[in-house]
């Protein structure tokens, strides 16, 4: 087998509604690398940089999937709380990364995300104030399903257990 990887699923949390538009691979990658450098120095940054990448990003939901080598994922995770802002076009947007799940494959993270979104939508459903809102949320709930997708990389056989 090739290099074992870990996938860290996070959400970008910000009170600034403008922050959503600056969520891009480059901005997230730079913010995470900066936090790793501040917390773990050059050595930590070097360890985490090997195969580190932003694999998936959804600016609309603020969902980010980071990939790193299995032997450095703890270092990466310990630095994530120190991400305090994203920078885009010389603007700084205060935010933080909330770690939702750590998995051994993209698929386990997808499954987790579907379940997480379903729980969030159920909470929204309880707080609906009118019938139109209820219908929209129920429609979103029904669309939460797992569709089989081809593997995105060759080493997807790791199930996330150590």
């Amino acid at each position: 087998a090739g290099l074992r990887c870990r996938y860290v699923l996070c959400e970008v949390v910000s009170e600034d509604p403008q922050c959503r538009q600056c969520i891009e691979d480059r901005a997230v990658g730079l913010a995470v690398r900066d936090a790793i450098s501040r917390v773990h120095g050059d050595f930590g940054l070097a360890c985490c940089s090997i195969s580190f990448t932003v694999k998936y990003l959804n600016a609309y939901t603020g969902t980010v999937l980071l990939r790193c080598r299995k032997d450095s994922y703890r270092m990466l995770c310990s630095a994530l709380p120190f991400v305090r802002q994203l920078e885009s076009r010389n603007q700084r947007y205060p935010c933080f990364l909330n770690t939702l799940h750590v998995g051994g494959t993209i698929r386990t993270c997808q499954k987790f995300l579907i379940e997480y979104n379903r729980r969030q939508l159920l909470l929204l459903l309880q707080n609906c104030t009118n019938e139109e809102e209820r219908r929209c949320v129920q429609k979103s709930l029904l669309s939460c399903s797992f569709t089989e997708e081809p593997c995105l990389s060759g080493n997807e056989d790791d199930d996330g257990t150590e």
Side-chain angles (χ1 to χ4, degrees):
L3 279 178
R4 297 286 195 203
C5 291
R6 284 290 165 266
Y7 296 89
V8 182
L9 185 66
C10 308
E11 65 178 344
V12 177
V13 181
S14 176
E15 290 181 13
D16 184 352
Q18 298 267 290
C19 186
R20 286 266 186 253
Q21 67 197 27
C22 82
I23 302 174
E24 52 193 33
D25 295 38
R26 200 179 141 282
V28 172
L30 286 172
V32 171
R33 283 187 177 92
D34 178 60
I36 293 167
S37 178
R38 280 185 284 127
V39 176
H40 298 293
D42 291 342
F43 174 77
L45 184 59
C47 289
C48 291
S49 289
I50 302 167
S51 86
F52 170 78
T53 187
V54 178
K55 283 298 277 185
Y56 169 81
L57 188 137
N58 184 327
Y60 181 71
T61 61
T63 307
V64 178
L65 185 65
L66 306 171
R67 183 193 75 195
C68 68
R69 279 185 34 197
K70 183 178 177 178
D71 58 9
S72 61
Y73 87 93
R74 285 186 183 90
M75 217 181 281
L76 170 72
C77 289
S78 69
L80 290 178
F82 294 91
V83 171
R84 296 191 190 99
Q85 66 187 16
L86 289 179
E87 208 169 315
S88 180
R89 296 176 204 91
N90 296 323
Q91 286 279 82
R92 290 180 176 170
Y93 301 94
C95 66
F96 67 92
L97 293 179
N98 180 25
T99 303
L100 300 174
H101 181 74
V102 177
T105 64
I106 291 176
R107 182 166 294 153
T108 58
C109 291
Q110 282 176 327
K111 286 179 181 176
F112 174 86
L113 188 58
I114 289 164
E115 214 28 66
Y116 176 79
N117 286 340
R118 187 173 284 160
R119 285 194 305 270
Q120 296 299 100
L121 285 167
L122 281 168
L123 287 173
L124 279 176
L125 190 61
Q126 291 170 358
N127 298 326
C128 285
T129 53
N130 61 46
E131 217 25 65
E132 182 58 29
E133 257 183 45
R134 284 187 74 80
R135 269 197 298 280
C136 287
V137 173
Q138 282 172 329
K139 190 176 174 187
S140 294
L141 256 170
L142 292 172
S143 72
C144 282
S145 63
F146 183 68
T147 54
E148 281 295 311
E149 286 188 17
C151 287
L152 298 175
S153 70
N155 58 353
E156 290 283 321
D157 58 343
D158 190 359
D159 66 357
T161 54
E162 291 192 41

